[in-house]
């Protein structure tokens, strides 16, 4: 993993290769770590990703930029993990054939969340067709919990660019997902 | 997204992006002009850009009020966790085998797990395997309780109880229960085909009762008796499933904020989260028997709220109306089981069994005599009207972002009073959220503030039962008529109103409505300027008018609240409001307010109770020496009780006093419970009860009262802090931190709260943040190491965790010998010096207030099991008047 990070400084495709091992690691950690969080908590994506980072990488040999690349890859991986689960959840609902004794309240919001995630995922794909960079920004910030400077480092653009990208992507996604823009009072 | 690294956008999008960047930060006025210039000749681009800008503005506005909570603000951990957990536990990815069990067909799914038929390859037999959620294994406390319960349940050996073979945890972390597999079907499945024959129903009930009897004798309450848990096994008779486990998993589930299934079979006391005993099982049996005989449930409202209401208050349709051939003694036996109050039900399974056999001409005399062999209930029919005290207010525990709205209400810790329908004798009122009339806006902060304040003020009017804000909020957005709302909430009156801005001020209209006739009993309009002062007075005025109006309309329920003159009421309301502050000035002003009220109306019991409370709190917070104020406090509360023995506040004040003065734990418990029985929405009683239970070593029992206190009064920093402490002791640091932070926002100048926040941050391994919080606290006016050594210790520990040993040492040096030795002991313990800590503790006097901390705080974990420490705890037991008490207090 560390080697990949070393390489990734020079070679963009190495960054892509990082996603797979991170994805696997996150999947493994997902049920253990995520299941411990109490409901209603704002997600400390950084905590989970940080743990994955410590596990996979020899931190002493990696600089700030390498770490940012890692986090960006982790964000991508995180998105995949959640979308995977969301898809599976959706499949269960449609085909599973189980009859719950009573619709326990916690099922409804989870279904809704799964649905929201999938919608977001689709919308992000559409955004990526128009602006791959903006989609990556959203991925880093939402799924990876990364700050603007961190995102800038990972994507190798200026923080200003990230700022504008984030603002515009957010507005676009908001509309794409059916949000109602309200004129100022 | 496939593979391509971030690159520049292309074509039209590029233009859009460029324009967006140019325009987005321009002020409103300039935007329009620049925009049309830049997009001249391309109207569709202009439109798209405008659309985007509007969306951006909308989001920016939302961000300003609630950062991080808006669109794409933050990924919600709870839901993400639930998603991952859910999708792993059901559907695709189901395992084929768990350990030595090969999974077969799915038999059913309950609220807690899925049951499969499985083959035990070692012992070569069929079993029923129930898989439970993973967190039951990972959550330390839940696991311990769960295995304890499971062991007890598996020790039950009775023909009518499903045999449990094994309880263990699979390799992938999922706990499971292996039970004997009985071919057949559950009563639930049987009921899908309609009612049973009377004989068959009785046979099933007898089987259930024999099983219950055996379990109850072993001290186990089932707690989840329902048709899905009763097997009609072919050739093997009736088997009861799922013993004991329901209790553990259920209680842990409610702690995490998820509900364990339909409440249709729960007893009234269960719906309130109270402790239940065998008679709760008998209730549930009654429900099942009813359903078997009638073909439908006795309580069948739609939706959990209405259902719980029915369970607690409504009489089911008499069995014989639905099915005349049910013998009368049997029908009244079922009715007896469905008595709202446990004391009126048969007290043991054996009694019911005897009656059943009797009803069919068995050993006991047949017919009516058999039923009369039981202790007589209330004379006139089973579901009698109000008897005695008030009806518990039904409060919904709101939990978590997922917004579970019907999680069970919490109730009195033991023996609630009897219940009945809303009556004129018992004024009850719901205060609906005040509408904001300003176009396009959510109810403004003002209307919220007024609404909240009104609830608080009216809640303190004795004899008036006010429905809590959560219950009302649960209905928000529903299209219902006034009468339906009042009915759903179980109230006699409804207060509603509206708020609109007008000329730099506010116009507020309030109306008191009789929902039965939809007529106005009182209405008034107010105009106020937008200043804190004028707004703070307003709810008080409205509350006064409402209280007086209701008083005129209904008979005084008790002597403590004879019709008041407005001035007295005002003084009293102010007294109460000042108490909330818990600052020295606030408490003293409170004392003044009550004394004023009493000067005018010397027999106003609530003011006596308030005076007692204010004086006691002055002692509690160290603003006055106990000897200086407690005697007067005692006189005041005695006066209050003499004047109004049914006044909840008086009992609550007594409870507080008993804690501060005599340290009489049991007596205080009794007084506080009485207060809550009289008025379940009394936040003070609930708070003091909760804290007392923690001191007495009953952490679990304290949860319900503390949560209820928060429910009733979410903006009280004292309650929040107590709750934070509870969660801290219960190992839920994250939740504790949320509450503590909120408390800190509500009471920014309270050093104690900041210390708790700092402590929690340190426990969560965030010493940097802890340092920031603690340093801010240290710079509060008047802070010094003598007054508040705990803060110095915490800060030192924060430094130490970050490796700044010198600064830590310097801080600790500032704490001198006048620091209580228990504080220094804590410092030693948290740095790992167990011996020193024990030595210091040995020399410390018993300070009853610290009992809870010693029992539960993690800092003592390393030395808690030492005999010396345990002996000290025994001394604390004595100090509170509980326990074996061989050690006399020093």
């Amino acid at each position: 993993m560390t080697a990949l990070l070393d390489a990734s400084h020079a070679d963009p495709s190495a960054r892509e290769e990082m996603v797979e091992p991170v994805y696997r690691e996150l999947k493994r950690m997902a049920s253990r770590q995520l299941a411990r969080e109490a409901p209603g908590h704002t997600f400390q994506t950084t905590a989970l990703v940080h743990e994955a980072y410590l596990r996979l990488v020899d931190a002493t040999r990696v600089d700030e930029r390498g770490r940012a690349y890692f986090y960006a890859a982790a964000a991508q991986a995180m998105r995949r993990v959640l979308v995977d689960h969301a898809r599976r959840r959706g499949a269960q609902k449609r085909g599973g054939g189980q009859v719950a004794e009573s619709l326990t309240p916690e099922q409804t919001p989870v279904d809704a969340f799964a649905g929201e995630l999938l919608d977001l995922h689709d919308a992000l794909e559409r955004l990526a067709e128009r602006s791959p960079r903006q989609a990556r920004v959203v991925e880093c910030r939402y799924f990876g919990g990364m700050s603007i400077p961190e995102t800038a480092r990972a994507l190798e653009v200026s923080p200003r660019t990230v700022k504008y990208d984030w603002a515009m992507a957010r507005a676009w996604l908001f509309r794409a997902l059916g949000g109602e823009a309200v004129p100022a009072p | 997204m496939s593979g391509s690294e971030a690159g520049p956008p292309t074509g039209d999008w590029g233009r859009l992006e460029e324009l967006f960047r140019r325009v987005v930060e321009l002020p409103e006025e300039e935007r329009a002009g620049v925009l049309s210039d830049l997009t001249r000749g391309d109207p569709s681009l202009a439109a798209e850009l405008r659309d985007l800008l509007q969306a951006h503005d909308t989001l920016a506005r939302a961000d300003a009020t609630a950062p991080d909570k808006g669109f794409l603000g933050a990924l919600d951990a709870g839901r993400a966790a639930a998603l991952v957990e859910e999708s792993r536990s059901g559907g695709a990815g189901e395992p084929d085998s768990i350990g030595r069990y090969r999974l077969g067909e799915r038999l059913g799914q309950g609220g807690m797990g899925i049951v499969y038929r499985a083959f035990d390859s070692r012992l070569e037999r069929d079993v029923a395997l129930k898989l439970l959620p993973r967190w039951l294994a990972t959550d330390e406390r839940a696991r311990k309780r769960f295995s304890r319960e499971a062991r007890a349940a598996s020790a039950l050996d009775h023909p009518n109880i499903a045999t449990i073979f094994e309880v263990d945890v699979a390799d992938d972390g999922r706990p499971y229960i292996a039970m004997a597999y009985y071919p057949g079907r559950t009563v639930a499945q049987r009921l899908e085909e309609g009612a049973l024959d009377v004989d068959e129903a009785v046979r099933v009930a007898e089987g259930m009762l024999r099983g219950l009897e055996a379990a109850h004798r072993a001290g186990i309450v089932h707690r989840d008796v329902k048709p899905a848990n009763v097997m009609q096994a072919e050739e093997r008779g009736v088997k009861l499933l799922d013993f004991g486990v329901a209790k553990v998993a259920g209680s842990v589930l409610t702690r995490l904020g998820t509900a364990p299934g339909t409440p249709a079979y729960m007893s009234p006391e269960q719906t309130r989260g109270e402790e239940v005993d065998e008679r709760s099982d008998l209730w549930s049996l009654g429900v099942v028997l009813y359903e078997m005989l009638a073909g439908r449930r006795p309580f069948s409202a739609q939706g959990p709220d209405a259902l719980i209401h029915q369970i607690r208050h409504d009489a089911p349709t008499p069995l014989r109306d639905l099915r005349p051939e049910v013998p009368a003694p049997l029908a009244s036996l079922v009715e007896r089981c469905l008595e709202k109050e446990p004391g009126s039900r048969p007290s043991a399974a054996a009694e019911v069994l005897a009656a059943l056999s009797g009803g069919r001409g068995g050993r006991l005399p047949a017919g009516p005599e058999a039923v009369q062999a039981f202790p007589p209930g209330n004379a006139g029919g089973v579901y009698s009207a109000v008897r005695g005290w008030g009806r518990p207010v039904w409060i919904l525990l709101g939990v978590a972002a997922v917004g579970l709205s019907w999680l069970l209400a919490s109730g009195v810790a033991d023996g609630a009073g009897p219940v009945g329908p809303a009556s004129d004798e018992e004024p009850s009122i719901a205060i609906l959220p005040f509408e904001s009339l300003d176009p396009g806006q959510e109810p403004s902060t003002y209307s919220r503030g007024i609404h909240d304040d009104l609830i608080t003020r009216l809640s303190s009017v004795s004899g008036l039962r006010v429905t809590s804000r959560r219950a009302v909020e649960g209905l928000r957005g529903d299209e219902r008529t006034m009468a339906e709302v009042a009915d759903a909430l179980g109230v006699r009156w409804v207060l509603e109103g509206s708020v609109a801005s007008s000329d730099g001020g506010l116009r507020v209209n309030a109306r008191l409505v009789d929902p039965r006739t939809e007529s106005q009993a009182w209405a008034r309009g107010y105009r106020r300027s937008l200043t804190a002062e004028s707004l703070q007075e307003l709810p008080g005025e409205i509350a006064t008018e409402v209280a007086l109006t209701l008083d005129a309309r209904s008979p005084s329920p008790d002597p403590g609240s004879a019709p008041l003159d407005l001035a007295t009421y005002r003084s009293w309301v102010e007294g109460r409001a000042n108490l909330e502050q818990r600052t020295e000035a606030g408490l003293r002003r409170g004392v003044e307010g009550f004394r004023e009220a009493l000067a005018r109306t010397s027999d106003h019991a609530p003011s006596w109770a308030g005076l007692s409370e204010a004086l006691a709190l002055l002692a509690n917070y160290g603003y006055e020496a106990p000897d200086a104020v407690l005697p007067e406090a005692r006189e005041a509360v005695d006066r209050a009780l003499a004047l109004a023995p049914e006044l909840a506040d008086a009992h609550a004040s007594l409870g507080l006093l008993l804690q501060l003065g005599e340290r009489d734990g049991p007596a205080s418990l009794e007084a506080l419970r009485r207060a809550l029985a009289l008025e379940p929405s009394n936040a003070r009683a609930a708070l003091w009860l909760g804290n007392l239970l923690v001191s007495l070593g009953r952490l679990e029992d304290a949860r319900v009262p503390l949560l209820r206190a928060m429910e009733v009064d979410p903006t009280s920093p004292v309650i929040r802090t107590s709750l934070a402490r509870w969660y801290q002791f219960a190992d839920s640091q994250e939740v504790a931190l949320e509450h503590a932070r909120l408390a800190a926002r509500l009471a920014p100048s309270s050093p104690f709260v900041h210390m708790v926040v700092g402590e929690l941050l340190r426990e969560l391994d965030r010493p940097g943040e802890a340092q920031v919080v603690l340093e801010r606290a240290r710079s509060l006016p008047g802070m010094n190491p003598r007054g508040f050594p705990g803060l110095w210790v915490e800060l030192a520990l924060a430094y130490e965790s970050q490796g700044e040993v010198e600064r830590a040492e310097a801080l600790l040096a500032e704490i001198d010998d006048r620091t209580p030795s228990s504080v220094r002991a804590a410092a030693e313990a948290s740095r790992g010096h167990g011996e020193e800590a024990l030595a210091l503790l040995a020399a410390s006097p018993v300070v009853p207030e610290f009992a809870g901390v010693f029992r539960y705080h993690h800092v003592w974990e390393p030395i808690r099991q030492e005999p010396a420490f345990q002996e000290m705890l025994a001394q604390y037991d004595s100090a509170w008047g509980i326990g074996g008490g061989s050690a006399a207090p020093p």
Side-chain angles (χ1 to χ4, degrees), chain B residues 59 71 194 223 287 292-293 302 354 360 386 395 551 597 632 646 667 684 696 798 843-844 850:
Chain B
L59 288 175
F71 180 64
R223 290 182 63 114
V287 178
M292 288 195 290
L293 290 169
Q302 287 303 322
R360 285 203 331 217
V386 177
I395 302 172
D551 245 345
E632 191 189 340
E646 309 275 285
R684 288 177 291 290
L696 296 181
S844 313
F850 293 168

Side-chain angles (χ1 to χ4, degrees), chain A residues 41 43 85 105 164 170 175 182, chain B residues 25 51 63 75 77 87 406:
Chain A
H41 243 71
F43 194 41
H85 282 290
Y164 283 121
R170 223 176 137 215
R175 294 292 286 130
V182 176
Chain B
E25 277 165 354
D51 191 43
D63 280 346
L75 190 49
S87 75
W406 70 273

Side-chain angles (χ1 to χ4, degrees), chain A:
Chain A
M1 187 78 227
T2 318
L4 273 176
L5 273 177
D6 276 349
S8 65
H9 274 264
D11 176 8
S13 68
R15 282 178 235 152
E16 284 309 313
E17 280 182 60
M18 272 176 11
V19 178
E20 200 41 56
V22 176
Y23 173 66
R24 266 182 274 124
E25 179 64 26
L26 280 180
K27 257 182 61 157
R28 264 202 326 122
M29 289 165 58
S31 64
R32 286 202 323 273
Q33 171 110 8
L34 288 177
R36 278 211 300 268
E37 297 282 349
H41 243 71
T42 313
F43 194 41
Q44 305 287 339
T45 3
T46 40
L48 187 59
V49 168
H50 187 63
E51 208 180 303
Y53 176 70
L54 291 176
R55 245 179 243 284
L56 292 175
V57 169
D58 178 2
T60 56
R61 292 177 47 198
V62 173
D63 68 1
E64 238 178 38
R65 190 130 67 98
R67 199 170 60 217
Y69 292 153
F70 178 90
Y71 283 147
Q76 221 178 348
M78 178 72 68
R79 176 181 169 190
R80 276 171 58 181
V81 168
L82 287 175
V83 169
D84 275 353
H85 282 290
R87 286 221 177 90
R88 239 191 290 173
R89 187 84 193 85
Q92 281 166 30
K93 236 192 359 153
R94 276 189 286 277
Q98 63 212 42
V99 177
E101 182 177 300
S102 64
L103 189 65
T104 52
E106 68 263 28
Q107 284 180 7
T108 321
V110 169
D111 292 346
F113 183 58
E116 282 168 31
L117 265 182
L118 291 173
D119 285 344
L120 176 63
H121 174 74
D122 288 336
L124 264 181
E125 300 280 71
R126 291 198 326 262
L127 177 62
E129 281 164 25
R130 293 168 172 71
S131 170
R133 192 185 67 220
Q134 285 193 3
R136 286 303 302 268
V137 167
V138 172
E139 204 175 55
C140 285
R141 298 217 69 212
Y142 182 65
F143 289 99
M146 293 163 74
S147 68
I148 292 190
E150 280 176 335
T151 309
R153 242 176 274 131
L155 302 181
E156 293 180 317
V157 292
S158 74
R160 251 178 74 100
T161 305
V162 172
K163 205 175 93 164
Y164 283 121
D165 275 351
W166 174 242
M168 185 167 161
R170 223 176 137 215
W172 191 89
L173 285 169
F174 183 67
R175 294 292 286 130
L177 291 172
E180 295 273 324
V182 176

